[in-house]
Amino acid sequence: MSQAIKLWDIHGGIHPEENKSQSNQLPISTLPLPKKLYLPLQQHIGSPSELTVKIGDKVLKGQRLAEANGFISASLHAPTSGTIVSIEERQIPHASGLTAETIEIETDGLEQWCEREVITDYLHTDPIALLAHIRNHGITGMGGAGFPTAVKLTPKDDDHIDTLIINGAECEPYITSDQLLMRERADQVIDGISVLGQILKPKRCIIGVEDNKLDAVKALRDSIDAHPKTLPFEVKVAAIPTKYPSGGEKQLIQILTGKEVPHGSIPADLGIVCQNVGTVAAISKAVLEGEPLISRITTVTGDAVSQKGNFETLIGTPIEDLLAHCGVDESKLFRLIMGGPMMGFTLHSTDLPVIKTTNCILAATEQEFPNPAQAQDCIRCGMCAEACPAELLPQQLYWFSRSKEFDKAKHFNLFDCIECGACSFVCPSHIPLVQHFRFAKGGIRQEEQAHIKSEHAKMRFEARQDRLAKEEAEKEARRKARADAAAKAKAEKEAKAKLAESQESPTTNTPTADASEGDDKKAAIAAAIARSKSKKPASNETTPSSVDIKPFKVASSQARAAHLQAQRALNAAKETGELSKEQIAEQEANVSSLKKAYEDAKAKLDQAKNGNTVAPAQEQAPSVDIKALKVASSQTRAAYLKAQRAFDTAKEAGELSAEQLTEQASEVSKLQTDYENAKAKLDAAKNGSPTQTAEAASSPTVDIKALKVASSQARAAYLKSQRAYDASKEDGSTSEDELSAQLKKVEALQSTYEKAKAALDDAKSGKTPASNPVAKEKASPSPSETFENKYKQVKVETSQARAAAKQAQKAVDEANEQGKDETQIKELETALAESVQTYEKLNSKKLVLQEKVKARKAVEASAVSQPKESKPAPETVAEQPPAEDDPTKKLKELKVAASQSKAAWRKLERELGKAQEAGEDTAELEQKVSAAKTTYEQANEAKTTAMAALNS
Amino acid sequence: MTLLTAILALVALALVFGAILGFASIRFKVEGNPIVDQIDSLLPQTQCGQCSYPGCKPYAEAIADGEKINKCPPGGENTIQALADLLGVEPEPLDAEHGEESVTKVAVIREDECIGCTKCIQACPVDAILGAAKQMHTVIASECTGCDLCVEPCPVDCIDMVPVAPTVQTWSWEQPSTTADSIAAKNDNLIITDKGRGAAA
């Protein structure tokens, strides 16, 4: 059996009063089943568990409630059967007093077990399966920290474990839960060691027990003797001298093996694994009985309870219940501590559950745990350094922690401090040294986190900067390319014009498809130029018409020549039958487009000749454009369909090889995109022109509307002033002069209203509002509205033009990517330049109109605000968009308006606050704020009504 | 004669060493100022611009050129201390002109008020805001540095700076008070008392 084991000593250490006899006299008893259990999702070190149940679920005893989330995490199981009542944030037993997600179970008292998984033949089970079993059963360290046991039992590849140390030291005063466990359930501990032996395959195992628990030592030794078969390695029980903190992991290892765990390493690096006796017993229960970690032995002690002892407590039992069972005297309870007096922490409420690491509940009276004495200055006596089991220099660390010199504290190995509290215990100045060290550790960790975060932010910031720079460079490159293309096109055009001037007849070209294509492009350019020229009114109007005609002539003759050539080439090709169907179709399309271009050019020439130089051309331009676009669209469509058909037949016939097929397919898709682009352009153009015509048509109705608004406004103003007048008359407080003035005002308003009404009627009955001067004068809002309408239209057009430009750009890019012919690309580029031009024109127009609208609005606002002293109505009316609009759209607008006004109001309020702080004069600002507030309220009201209307 | 030899010898030595030094200064030239990177790594990288420089790097460069080290409110006293240690200057209190040190905050968009204007997205220096035009935006809290830059551009004022609440994972102990009157109030931290621990052996 056990011969004497060589023991070593640790540095420092203290001998506090043990206070264990109060609670270790009675055997372990079981607590009655509590009505409710509270299970925080995090009772261990690592990441919180992940829920696997939901509110309302019926759970059985031992059923998993939450599973391990990540490597360092642990599962959580139902301690008894019952119903999940809630899953919410509750205060947890933690030094911080913070809340965390907690499952609340209402117990049903049935104690109905779920199916248990038992491994009886664990000696022939794969260690990995055993580890998984331990992990699945939620076992964590029971000594205090709650580190997931399976993680601790998974050694790194190169570590071979030769010594297993079981920690039964229980060196903290008051706590006796491990002692009772070893005394009463030694067999469980030994079985657990046997399981661990199968997992770790150690050469020996030492159970370290302080020599104040000789009953436990004896029980363990007896149990070892009774289990010779399941222990294929040497298991010894060492009775070690009682000294705090011999139960610290590193300290116990040093006492039992003489080895010190170096800074920054773990015991496994020395071939040692250390487990608490409670953990070992829990492992044995999990493996041999299939019972997950759902209960533990908790010591309840302290002078505030009458029945001190150890209790088999379900995890999640409210401490309230535990204390009530033990006969707590609330009046005597001065401090409630979870854990021991040295390393535990104060609880601020009894409404907290027992968790996996609750080894002791200490309900102390004031006599037992009075408030600490006032800390005095450090006298550098050095007693702390003598007591420190980690051989640190607590007084140095104290200075650094106090002055937040974390770097230096770190340099003095602060992180080797086990926070045992021996230094605080011996300090004659009552300095709370451990608390300072805990603070410094937290500070260092926070700094590290902050540093990681700042590095991350820096990375992201730099990535963003790079991206922005790249985008800018790309934009610049595109702009340059566009400018180059435009310049090139211009130069070419000039050269062409010169060439055409110098020789009357068109140059003779070889009738090849390429040449015709080139010419086609040139003709298109010429036509486009002709078009754009015809659009420029101001410059052309003053110049003589003969100058105008020349370019048209040139363009027309060029287009004609190109058309003829293409026609010829096509005929030749048809005759020889050399070309495929598709090619012919393409050429045909070319020819017809050339013809079209020629006709266009001719038409323009005729127009120019006839002298109606500009205005008609301008009007016609869109329709011509549409026509051209229509033709282009249908052509591309035809080409696309043909190509598609050809592709299909080829596919069916199976004549072509796969490569050819894919080639064809790509061509088809190209054509499709071309077609779609053309169609989009066409649509855009179509949309662009009808709006212009619609504008004129819609204006009378708009006018009527405006008049209506004006009339109702005038009426409202009139009625209000009438009422005000009546009121003041009755009041009798105002003087006669004032009354007469008011009366006059009322009369004036009445006439205004009548005029407005007349104007409205006129407008309704078909008379133009312009013919009625009174109506015109009174209908002041109407011009602004027409302006606005125009502005809106132009805006729409502008955005369309922009979209067209973008599309064109995309087409160019696509073409570039697909490696299309240069000529084609150039064509596209000219189209692009054109659309960009249109867009710019429209945009400038838009801006001008915008300015106008703004100016008009400002004038109106001032006009409206002056005569009305008692009527804010028109403004709100004006703010509300016409009811005919799409309601959701309207609602959105209202929402935006409301939140904008809110923002304005808030900003003003903030300003006001600042001004008030600064002690400035705030009367004006206050007025502004209230005005903004009313605006916001109105807008908000409008919003809510609109919302309600929409909902109903 | 000896005088001349001595002079010649010294001149020769001077030339040789001068050549070596000159070569070394070209061959081992350090690109940029290494101190800038060191300063930059101490700054909190919120890129908030409260120091009046357009980002942390520019401020680091300015500090290397002699700018004061107390203009970084997000970094606070700790950063000032670290900079003072690095540069060997006296730490100064934070310049209140540039703002005050406050708890870590994170921007939160009230999503039902967001109108999808993308202005905050453009303002965010670390791309921590997600969204598209006319779509609701949201802040990726883990990427937000709490720099405040997105609050001002918001036209509907729907961005709040919310202090980051400590969780069980991020919580840490407070510094024990050393003043007389608060020691009783702060005794939560203190578990061991003379009576409870018993007599020292």
Side-chain angles (χ1 to χ4, degrees), chain A residues 865-883:
Chain A
S865 64
Q866 267 180 5
K868 56 130 193 195
E869 261 144 56
S870 56
K871 55 156 190 177
E875 224 172 47
T876 39
V877 169
E879 247 169 61
Q880 286 167 3

Side-chain angles (χ1 to χ4, degrees), chain A residues 583-621:
Chain A
Q583 275 169 316
I584 288 172
E586 219 173 288
Q587 289 232 335
E588 261 170 358
N590 268 343
V591 169
S592 57
S593 73
L594 282 172
K595 201 174 168 189
K596 185 81 214 142
Y598 163 56
E599 274 166 12
D600 279 355
K602 209 183 164 192
K604 264 176 218 147
L605 177 62
D606 290 345
Q607 272 169 16
K609 267 184 187 162
N610 289 344
N612 33 350
T613 42
V614 200
Q618 195 182 9
E619 263 184 9
Q620 212 171 336

Side-chain angles (χ1 to χ4, degrees), chain A residues 17-86:
Chain A
E17 214 172 280
E18 283 170 16
N19 281 315
K20 288 184 190 262
S21 56
Q22 297 100 311
S23 55
N24 66 6
Q25 304 301 316
L26 295 169
I28 301 168
S29 57
T30 311
L31 212 65
L33 190 69
K35 284 200 180 67
K36 293 216 169 149
L37 295 173
Y38 301 95
L39 297 146
L41 285 183
Q42 178 156 38
Q43 307 186 12
H44 50 267
I45 288 178
S47 44
S49 327
E50 219 170 59
L51 273 175
T52 52
V53 288
K54 57 184 188 301
I55 296 173
D57 281 4
K58 291 248 180 248
V59 290
L60 297 176
K61 187 170 185 171
Q63 186 183 331
R64 191 184 300 166
L65 303 176
E67 61 184 2
N69 177 21
F71 182 57
I72 301 183
S73 186
S75 306
L76 185 64
H77 301 78
T80 184
S81 56
T83 316
I84 293 172
V85 192
S86 74

Side-chain angles (χ1 to χ4, degrees), chain A residues 42 335 341 371 425 456, chain B residues 143 169 187 189-191 197:
Chain A
Q42 178 156 38
R335 188 182 291 204
N371 274 328
F425 182 79
H456 185 69
Chain B
E143 308 294 348
Q169 276 83 17
N187 66 14
N189 284 350
L190 314 180
I191 299 304
R197 351 159 147 147

Side-chain angles (χ1 to χ4, degrees), chain A residues 426-447:
Chain A
V426 297
C427 182
S429 292
H430 309 293
I431 298 170
L433 290 161
V434 182
Q435 280 70 33
H436 279 284
F437 301 157
R438 283 173 174 170
F439 159 72
K441 281 183 178 180
I444 291 170
R445 285 200 197 99
Q446 272 175 356
E447 266 184 13

Side-chain angles (χ1 to χ4, degrees), chain A residues 905-925:
Chain A
W905 167 41
R906 275 204 198 145
K907 266 181 195 169
L908 274 170
E909 233 174 21
R910 241 179 284 150
E911 259 174 51
L912 178 64
K914 267 187 209 163
Q916 268 169 353
E917 259 175 47
E920 285 166 23
D921 183 31
T922 55
E924 203 183 329
L925 263 175

Side-chain angles (χ1 to χ4, degrees), chain A residues 542-729:
Chain A
T542 46
T543 48
S545 60
S546 62
V547 180
D548 276 341
I549 293 170
K550 217 177 210 173
F552 287 131
K553 253 189 187 164
V554 173
S556 150
S557 59
Q558 272 174 0
R560 183 158 170 262
H563 165 53
L564 287 176
Q565 256 169 19
Q567 185 69 47
R568 238 176 288 143
L570 177 64
N571 289 344
K574 264 187 186 160
E575 266 172 26
T576 50
E578 273 170 10
L579 295 170
S580 70
K581 260 190 187 173
E582 288 107 301
Q583 275 169 316
I584 288 172
E586 219 173 288
Q587 289 232 335
E588 261 170 358
N590 268 343
V591 169
S592 57
S593 73
L594 282 172
K595 201 174 168 189
K596 185 81 214 142
Y598 163 56
E599 274 166 12
D600 279 355
K602 209 183 164 192
K604 264 176 218 147
L605 177 62
D606 290 345
Q607 272 169 16
K609 267 184 187 162
N610 289 344
N612 33 350
T613 42
V614 200
Q618 195 182 9
E619 263 184 9
Q620 212 171 336
S623 63
V624 170
D625 265 354
I626 290 174
K627 229 185 235 168
L629 281 168
K630 256 189 192 162
V631 171
S633 148
S634 55
Q635 274 169 0
T636 42
R637 182 152 175 266
Y640 158 54
L641 289 176
K642 258 185 203 169
Q644 178 76 43
R645 238 176 289 143
F647 174 56
D648 287 344
T649 45
K651 215 161 115 187
E652 265 170 26
E655 281 167 8
L656 295 171
S657 71
E659 277 153 306
Q660 276 169 312
L661 269 177
T662 48
E663 220 173 79
Q664 283 215 342
S666 71
E667 210 164 66
V668 169
S669 63
K670 232 192 263 172
L671 280 166
Q672 192 179 0
T673 47
D674 281 356
Y675 164 56
E676 274 163 9
N677 282 347
K679 209 182 162 193
K681 264 191 215 162
L682 175 61
D683 288 347
K686 263 187 188 164
N687 289 343
S689 62
T691 43
Q692 268 178 339
T693 49
E695 184 192 346
S698 68
S699 69
T701 55
V702 167
D703 279 350
I704 288 175
K705 221 187 252 166
L707 282 169
K708 260 186 190 165
V709 171
S711 139
S712 61
Q713 273 172 7
R715 185 157 169 260
Y718 158 58
L719 288 176
K720 261 194 193 163
S721 60
Q722 177 75 45
R723 240 174 287 144
Y725 170 65
D726 288 345
S728 53
K729 215 165 136 190

Side-chain angles (χ1 to χ4, degrees), chain A residues 296-308:
Chain A
R296 66 159 299 138
I297 300 168
T298 302
T299 307
V300 182
T301 183
D303 285 349
V305 289
S306 54
Q307 195 197 342
K308 300 166 189 121

